[in-house]
Amino acid sequence: MKHPITSTRNGIPVYVDLVKSQAGAHIARQPYLLGLVKELLATITATEAEISIEHDMGRAVGYSYVVETTDKDNIVYAQRLHDDAYTRFVKNGTPLSTNYLSIVLRRDADGDYELDDAWVGRLNPPRPGSANETANSKVYWTKHAFVLDGQPIQLRTLTKVCPY
């Protein structure tokens, strides 16, 4: 279901699928994200087929749940609901206040943009084992993790052993 958000600075419509997209899942947990995304989109002149943007909003906009980890942290791995890739979690981490908003846009067959993902915090590489894994994924995610804070996970996949 396409939910219109706004248009980019150069007039290209942007929508989000609130039911099936990662952006929809994040917006459901943090509804104020939609307003921040709308504010950011008004500043973007978009032309590419896929766009990943990290933007300093100039003020604190929330908390980043991806944090740098050390050997002293309690790390676990699990698959989030409806996800085949494992996510690295830190059990004793604390979310950090941030000025950054990150979004991922993909152009559809009609030439409009779909908001694929949006979150408070900095851009990070895709998780190892995900469909869009990059060469930087494993290096980044061995030193960073999501703060385990009530995210819905598949309990049967919970492990302390790194799956990648």
Side-chain angles (χ1 to χ4, degrees), residues 63-80:
Y63 291 90
S64 175
Y65 282 81
V66 174
V67 296
E68 196 165 347
T69 59
T70 68
D71 293 337
K72 295 177 183 176
D73 289 315
N74 189 357
I75 303 296
V76 296
Y77 303 85
Q79 292 174 338
R80 296 185 284 192

Side-chain angles (χ1 to χ4, degrees), residues 109-126:
D110 297 329
D112 298 340
Y113 279 107
E114 178 175 3
L115 179 66
D116 189 55
D117 206 349
W119 66 92
V120 172
R122 311 231 26 191
L123 276 177
N124 44 57

Side-chain angles (χ1 to χ4, degrees), residues 94-133:
T94 304
L96 302 172
S97 179
T98 184
N99 292 356
Y100 287 90
L101 176 67
S102 295
I103 64 172
V104 177
L105 300 171
R106 287 196 174 81
R107 205 127 196 208
D108 67 15
D110 297 329
D112 298 340
Y113 279 107
E114 178 175 3
L115 179 66
D116 189 55
D117 206 349
W119 66 92
V120 172
R122 311 231 26 191
L123 276 177
N124 44 57
R127 290 166 296 125
S130 65
N132 47 359
E133 176 181 357

Side-chain angles (χ1 to χ4, degrees), residues 40-82:
L40 173 55
L41 289 171
T43 68
I44 296 170
T45 301
T47 57
E48 296 87 11
E50 185 173 320
I51 303 169
S52 297
I53 299 169
E54 172 186 283
H55 183 72
D56 184 343
M57 300 297 285
R59 65 188 187 282
V61 293
Y63 291 90
S64 175
Y65 282 81
V66 174
V67 296
E68 196 165 347
T69 59
T70 68
D71 293 337
K72 295 177 183 176
D73 289 315
N74 189 357
I75 303 296
V76 296
Y77 303 85
Q79 292 174 338
R80 296 185 284 192
L81 284 183
H82 313 293

Side-chain angles (χ1 to χ4, degrees), residues 16-31 33 80-81 116-118 152:
V16 62
D17 184 332
L18 291 173
V19 177
K20 296 179 183 174
S21 71
Q22 273 298 111
H26 292 148
I27 291 166
R29 286 184 61 134
Q30 301 170 310
L33 263 178
R80 296 185 284 192
L81 284 183
D116 189 55
D117 206 349

Side-chain angles (χ1 to χ4, degrees), residues 1 9 24-25 32 34-35 44 53 55 57 64-65 73 86 91 95 99 101 104 121 128 137 141 147 149 154 156-157:
M1 179 168 103
R9 185 175 176 180
Y32 69 92
L34 206 49
I44 296 170
I53 299 169
H55 183 72
M57 300 297 285
S64 175
Y65 282 81
D73 289 315
Y86 275 82
K91 290 175 84 175
N99 292 356
L101 176 67
V104 177
S137 293
W141 288 108
V147 175
D149 184 35
Q154 299 175 47
R156 64 175 172 71
T157 67

